Amino acid sequence: MDVGIAFFLLGIVAALARTDIQFPKALYQTLILYLLLAIGLKGGIALAEHASWEILGQSALVISLGLILPLIAFPVLYHLGGLERYDAASIAAHYGSVSVGTYAVAVAVLEAQGIDYEAYLPLFVVLLEMPAIAVGITLARRAQAKASSREDTVKLLHEVFLNQGVVLMVGGLVVGLVAGERVAAVAPLFFDLFPGVLALFLLQMGMVAANCVKDIRRLGSFMLAFGVAMPMVGGFLGCLLGLAIGLSSGGAILLAVLGASASYIAVPAAMQLALPQANHSLSISASLGITFPFNILIGIPTYMVITQSLTGQVL
Amino acid sequence: MTNRQFNFSLTVGIALAIVGAFILSQAAVGLSLIALGLGIAALAVVTRFSSKDSAGERAAARVKPSRDDQAGYRSGALTE
């Protein structure tokens, strides 16, 4: 078992046993900042080495994945689940976007198993953050006659394009791209310590996920089914797209993980601004309490098996 | 739980179990998917029947008393 996943399970056990572990909020924020910067830097260095027009074409197709996923999720939530339009649109936006934490775990799993992947994948993480938010808002506002004020729109655009996730990852990418080999000076902090910091992050996430158990009970079997089915669909589409645009098996697995993951950092903040009338605890509980643990414990190995059977390669 | 929610949950549960059965070569992953799928299907069935039962109980509670019962209430015979 991967060390990070073991820490995640430890967090779940600790929370279920009601152990009084105090995880300072500031430390949690620091871990997120660290992960975003480290992933961005790594991607920037890879971009400096492999920048090509091919990546531009791949990026356009990856953005289309971010547009399609909420369009799949919304009708399921709205028509089958019978949720309010705002709630359905907000949850769809969460599931169309990505989780950096899940991506970081997938990278750690691939590296532990010695599976190669395109190191510029963090670029796709950034690109997949935003389109789903725009689709979610559009879906929700189709029923809303009232036009939003200019101030609201500016605030929202700021949240979509300049949220901490995007700024830190794009910032890391640019620094890595410009600095190239000179990033070696900060490598001991950002690369060598990465697995340890990820383990700490997963310990906290395990506790958070276990604390969502009450909410999951309240959500019922429909949301549980949705929270598991949607990542499977997104993962399969991501894997197919990855192979179609010529990524390696490792790259296809990572794109599958991006398609499967649901945001719990950037999108909630944007949705609170854009759709204040939506029930945000519903989206967070589904994303953090169901989909994140599913992806970490079962999803990632499943996407590896799916990729293996699609490519016929033994990973 | 509505019919649509129930059908969706049941379908997802069964589909997950089938996917799990297909990838039993990776025993841990396959078995986890089967267990999760069956769990979701079972939860959907339990929720469905328990909500039907409670709906039935509520409906029974709302049943209009028969003429005889009403006569009994009026006479005070059924209040003791």
Side-chain angles (χ1 to χ4, degrees), chain A residues 56-125:
Chain A
L56 209 63
Q58 289 177 340
S59 301
L61 289 167
V62 167
I63 290 173
S64 69
L65 178 69
L67 295 170
I68 289 169
L69 289 175
L71 292 176
I72 295 173
F74 180 77
V76 174
L77 293 159
Y78 186 57
H79 295 295
L80 298 182
L83 298 187
E84 293 288 329
R85 176 175 276 272
Y86 293 116
D87 295 337
S90 171
I91 298 172
H94 282 73
Y95 279 81
S97 191
V98 294
S99 148
V100 177
T102 315
Y103 174 81
V105 176
V107 166
V109 169
L110 291 189
E111 286 180 356
Q113 298 193 13
I115 300 171
D116 292 330
Y117 60 91
E118 287 74 7
Y120 58 82
L121 261 286
L123 176 67
F124 297 163
V125 181

Side-chain angles (χ1 to χ4, degrees), chain A residues 174-227:
Chain A
V174 172
V175 170
L177 188 64
V178 173
E181 293 297 315
R182 280 167 290 163
V183 171
V186 290
L189 173 65
F190 283 107
F191 303 145
D192 298 352
L193 291 180
F194 188 85
V197 173
L198 182 62
L200 265 181
F201 171 76
L202 285 172
L203 175 70
Q204 160 70 357
M205 293 308 290
M207 291 191 285
V208 172
N211 286 330
C212 287
V213 168
K214 251 190 213 165
D215 295 324
I216 296 166
R217 277 191 200 146
R218 184 174 51 82
L219 296 177
S221 65
F222 171 77
M223 280 310 291
L224 181 62
F226 175 81

